[in-house]
Structure formats: structure tokens, C-alpha cells
Amino acid sequence: MSVTLNEISEQPYAIKKVLEDVEGKKEAILDLFKEPFDNVIFIGCGTSHYLAMSASSVFKKITKKRSETLPSSELFLYPPKSLEKSLVIPISRSGETSETVMAANYAKKNRKSKILAISCYEGSNIVKESDLAVISSEGKEKSIVMTKSFSSMLVAAQAISTVVAGDNQFLDELTKIPKIVEDIMKKSQSLAEEISTTLTLEKFVFLGQGPFYGTACEAMLKVKEMAIAWSEAFHSLEFRHGPKSIINEKTLVTMLLSDSAKKYETDLIKEIRALGAKVLTVCEKEGVESDYTLAIESQLGEFARIPIYMPILQFLGYYQALKKGLNPDVPKNLTQVVKLNFI
Ligand code: F1P
């Protein structure tokens, strides 16, 4: 049995456990935020960078505070000003990725920033560098590609946002996610398998606005890593401004439908289909004309339901790999952790 397939299916439990970890660290999180940070910078590499994008979007919305995202390397190569008044939130499954550890080290030692780490490994270097850490203990993976680590660490970031904002209504929404992900798992798997077995595809485009853009980037990376296929991600409405020229009849465009941009995204789906691409729409409820639809029926707002969109996106990369006779557990050219010998 594939480790990746198992780990995709283990997401509900990993999410449930990380919510408990945040619950246990509520006071420590509130203590840390007593400092009047003028910016909160989420950083990461690869999947964790894309996770940081969605996490920062949620943080801004829920806490109404300033936040931004950087790939870890940018933080120490092109450091933003006033780092000393910033909180840096490094996200790293392993907690050992060289650029992320280097960035945290730079921010702490050279700029006296505070560090709040999100990782799957308690004893990792990134946790050692941090003033506080939230750990997704069940997010640990044998697979090289990140799946349950992504969704559980994203929920950790969402839960931290609710603690900082004192927004119990949003926290209540997050506690519903494990069961909804459990309930959507089979439907996600069979739809991804159906698409991969019935369509001959050569290009994959993932579209998302706001909190869904980071998630679209992560879906793009899953297809690249597991299926070694051409894939790109864009803010939904950016697709018209040039990239749509790549559409052909072997293109699958996946729309991660939001609430705020739904009207515009629904019009765009019509246009994309008229150009000959197939469209998979991942959304809250049925009613959007599409070639394939996964309606999650979560009753949750757009900033809460992001992790529920993940299984179908991960299964898509998985089944595309199988279709090409590839082993998703052993992606080409990749290692589980990138450690640079000069850092
Ligand atoms: C993240 C990462 C993944 C990538 C591969 C190597 O590492 O770059 O994005 O898919 O698994 O590691 P981490 O900092 O989250 O451990």
C-alpha cells in the first residue's frame, strides 16, 4: 500500500491532534502576542511556502493585523525592514530545511525578531530557534511529498489566528474540519481517480483567489512532484491576462471556488470551457456548471474551509502519477528534506 495514499487518508486525525496542541498553547500564544508586532511574516520552502501564503491570508482576515509571506531564502537574502518589530512564523514539516532554519536564525540573532514555529517535529532545529512552537505530531510523514502535514499545519495556523483574535466562532468552525474531511475523503478519491482514468491530460492549471491562491500553488506542486507533469497556478482572474493562451483540449483547469470572487470565477469557468479545456470545480455547494464538481457542503466560510479542498487536489497528483506508471511515493529528483551543505 502506498505511503502517500495512506497519509492523504490520515489527514482528519492529524488535523484533530494539531487543534488539541493549539488549545494547549493558547495562553502561551496570547502571551507572545502581548508584544505589539507591526508585522507577522509567514515563511517556508516549497509546499511550506505555499502553506504560508494561505496561512497569512487567513491571519490577516481573522486578526485584522498586517501580515505577509516570503519564501524563507528571501528573508535573509533581502530582509524586509523593521524585522525587529516583526513576528516571524516559519513553517516546516521537518523543521530542518536549511533556508528556513537560516532565516529564523538570521531574524532572531541579527534582528531580534520573535519566532513562532509550526512544525511536525518537536526536537527539530527550527523549534530550537523559536520562542514558541506549535507541533503537528500526527503530521509526520514517510512520504517525500507533503499531504497531511500540509493540511494539519495549515489548520494550526488558522487556529493560532483564532486565538490571537479571540474569535471563538471561527475556532468553532475549525473544530468541524476533521469530520468534514473524513466525510469528503471517498468522494474526493473517486472523483480524482475518475478524472485521471477517463481523460488524457497533458496540462494542469490551478486557480484560486485570496486564501485559495496558496492552495492552488500547492496543488500545482503536487502534480509536478508526483506526476512530473506540466502544471501552473494563478490567481483566478489573472488567468485571462495571457496564461489562458496555453489552453487546449488536453488541459484540466481546477477552480478552487471562493465566496468573495465566486461571481467572477463562475463567469471565468464558462470562458475556459468554451476554449476547450475541461474544468474541475471544487466548491462549497452544487450549482456551478462544470465538467467535474466536488461540492464539499461544509457550511463553513471561505477562510475556514481551505483544508477541506486538499484531499481531491492531492489525489489528483497521485492518480496522475499512477496513470503515467510513476510511483508517487518516490518522486523524481526529490528528497524529503532539502539541506544545503553551505548552510
Ligand atoms: C518542505 C519541502 C517540500 C518538498 C520536499 C522537500 O520542507 O521543500 O515542500 O515537497 O518534500 O521539502 P519542510 O521545510 O516543510 O520540511
Side-chain angles (χ1 to χ4, degrees):
M1 180 72 159
S2 153
V3 281
T4 306
L5 196 63
N6 277 338
E7 288 163 354
I8 293 173
S9 310
E10 290 162 1
Q11 291 185 80
Y13 185 59
I15 292 168
K16 183 172 169 299
K17 292 303 282 179
V18 81
L19 282 168
E20 290 167 10
D21 194 67
V22 173
E23 183 61 30
K25 291 176 180 160
K26 244 174 159 172
E27 289 318 311
I29 293 166
L30 289 169
D31 253 358
L32 185 64
F33 274 87
K34 278 191 184 128
E35 193 159 327
F37 301 115
D38 66 3
N39 195 8
V40 175
I41 306 173
F42 289 80
I43 64 169
C45 292
T47 287
S48 297
H49 172 217
Y50 301 138
L51 199 175
M53 287 178 183
S54 288
S56 178
S57 176
V58 171
F59 183 85
K60 278 188 281 196
K61 172 73 180 177
I62 300 300
T63 66
K64 311 266 183 291
K65 292 176 184 291
R66 193 172 145 225
S67 174
E68 64 181 291
T69 311
L70 286 172
S72 300
S73 51
E74 284 288 295
L75 190 117
F76 61 86
L77 293 172
Y78 298 90
K81 68 180 181 47
S82 75
L83 251 182
E84 43 287 334
K85 297 197 217 87
S86 301
L87 173 69
V88 175
I89 302 188
I91 298 175
S92 176
R93 167 182 66 179
S94 63
E96 301 299 345
T97 294
S98 296
E99 300 98 308
T100 304
V101 174
M102 177 105 178
N105 189 283
Y106 171 84
K108 194 167 177 68
K109 300 254 176 341
N110 298 287
R111 309 294 289 273
K112 311 280 171 280
S113 315
K114 285 286 190 319
I115 311 287
L116 167 52
I118 300 176
S119 182
C120 297
Y121 291 86
E122 184 80 62
S124 62
N125 276 314
I126 204 66
V127 172
K128 287 181 192 141
E129 284 292 337
S130 64
D131 298 278
L132 178 64
V134 167
I135 304 297
S136 171
S137 54
E138 291 303 320
K140 294 182 185 69
E141 287 155 335
K142 295 189 183 70
S143 182
I144 287 180
V145 296
M146 292 171 67
T147 52
K148 64 173 177 172
S149 57
F150 177 93
S151 47
S152 59
M153 292 196 288
L154 174 56
V155 170
Q158 291 174 300
I160 289 166
S161 304
T162 66
V163 170
V164 173
D167 185 336
N168 293 324
Q169 193 270 328
F170 191 74
L171 183 58
D172 184 48
E173 287 197 298
L174 297 183
T175 57
K176 298 189 172 96
I177 290 177
K179 171 91 177 58
I180 300 170
V181 172
E182 188 70 58
D183 294 346
I184 202 86
M185 195 63 72
K186 277 274 154 270
K187 216 165 112 182
S188 301
Q189 184 169 4
S190 47
L191 183 53
E193 190 169 14
E194 180 197 339
I195 291 170
S196 302
T197 44
T198 52
L199 297 181
T200 303
L201 296 167
E202 59 186 34
K203 293 180 193 172
F204 298 83
V205 172
F206 296 91
L207 303 177
Q209 294 281 163
F212 298 103
Y213 175 59
T215 315
C217 291
E218 167 56 7
M220 168 275 290
L221 187 60
K222 289 285 89 63
V223 169
K224 273 197 173 90
E225 290 179 327
M226 289 195 265
I228 322 290
W230 188 103
S231 68
E232 290 290 350
F234 302 96
H235 285 90
S236 311
L237 299 192
E238 279 299 295
F239 190 51
R240 284 195 185 89
H241 300 276
K244 76 174 181 180
S245 56
I246 57 96
I247 284 179
N248 66 13
E249 68 297 340
K250 292 183 178 171
T251 302
L252 177 72
V253 177
T254 299
M255 174 66 80
L256 306 185
L257 208 67
S258 64
D259 295 342
S260 308
K262 181 175 178 180
K263 179 185 158 316
Y264 304 102
E265 291 169 331
T266 308
D267 292 345
L268 179 58
I269 290 169
K270 285 196 196 92
E271 239 180 88
I272 291 169
R273 296 183 73 205
L275 290 172
K278 290 281 184 273
V279 175
L280 162 62
T281 300
V282 186
C283 51
E284 170 60 15
K285 46 182 183 298
E286 299 286 356
V288 177
E289 253 187 70
S290 184
D291 298 285
Y292 300 92
T293 301
L294 179 78
I296 64 171
E297 312 278 353
S298 70
Q299 324 288 327
L300 302 184
E302 60 185 342
F303 288 91
R305 67 172 185 258
I306 313 161
I308 306 166
Y309 281 14
M310 289 318 299
I312 186 161
L313 304 175
Q314 296 158 350
F315 283 126
L316 206 53
Y318 177 82
Y319 284 108
Q320 283 303 319
L322 295 190
K323 172 124 185 203
K324 293 175 71 173
L326 299 170
N327 179 354
D329 293 347
V330 192
K332 199 169 141 221
N333 305 333
L334 291 185
T335 55
Q336 215 193 30
V337 186
V338 175
K339 293 192 81 165
L340 307 177
N341 48 28
F342 59 85
I343 294 182

